[in-house]
Amino acid sequence: QVQVAESGGGLVQAGGSLRLSCAVSGRPGSTYSMGWFRQGPGKEREFVAAISPSGGSTDYRDSVKGRFTISRDNAKNTVSLQMNSLKPEDTAVYYCARIIYNIRAPTGSWGQGTQVTVSS
């Protein structure tokens, strides 16, 4: 069973940057794809980014392409999300989770998430 713990959120002005981190425990990190999801106020949880087990492939929702970068360190069992040029519409609770890469579907348990608030 894989468990995750997200960190790194905060309050930032539009145009600023944040780096989120996800600590993964359980099975070795190099055996599964991981993803980031987010849930904004009054919205459903949505896919943000995914990374393959080796880190060689990545996938992003259109609205974050060119601004967000997902990466992983399998030796440390961590997955990161570097977020640049943040916009107010990026405000959400961000979650990491195992993901079925080709269909962008989360699988397994959720962590508590980390709040990202972008002020205009």
Side-chain angles (χ1 to χ4, degrees), residues 9-49:
L11 173 63
V12 64
Q13 290 187 331
S17 298
L18 281 174
R19 186 176 181 87
L20 307 184
S21 184
C22 173
V24 183
S25 61
R27 294 174 58 191
S30 60
T31 60
Y32 41 80
S33 296
M34 291 294 295
W36 284 94
F37 298 81
R38 67 186 181 187
Q39 187 167 17
K43 299 180 180 179
E44 294 186 354
R45 197 171 304 189
E46 64 184 15
F47 165 80
V48 176

Side-chain angles (χ1 to χ4, degrees), residues 42-106:
K43 299 180 180 179
E44 294 186 354
R45 197 171 304 189
E46 64 184 15
F47 165 80
V48 176
I51 190 165
S52 63
S54 67
S57 296
T58 56
D59 181 30
Y60 301 91
R61 69 179 300 108
D62 286 347
S63 61
V64 307
K65 284 180 181 178
R67 300 189 298 122
F68 290 12
T69 302
I70 189 171
S71 61
R72 68 190 298 163
D73 185 335
N74 286 336
K76 296 181 179 180
N77 278 350
T78 58
V79 181
S80 298
L81 185 68
Q82 177 66 43
M83 306 186 296
N84 299 328
S85 302
L86 282 162
K87 304 176 180 179
E89 51 264 43
D90 295 318
T91 295
V93 179
Y94 283 71
Y95 302 87
C96 70
R98 287 185 61 183
I99 191 171
I100 303 172
Y101 188 91
N102 60 340
I103 59 172
R104 299 178 169 181

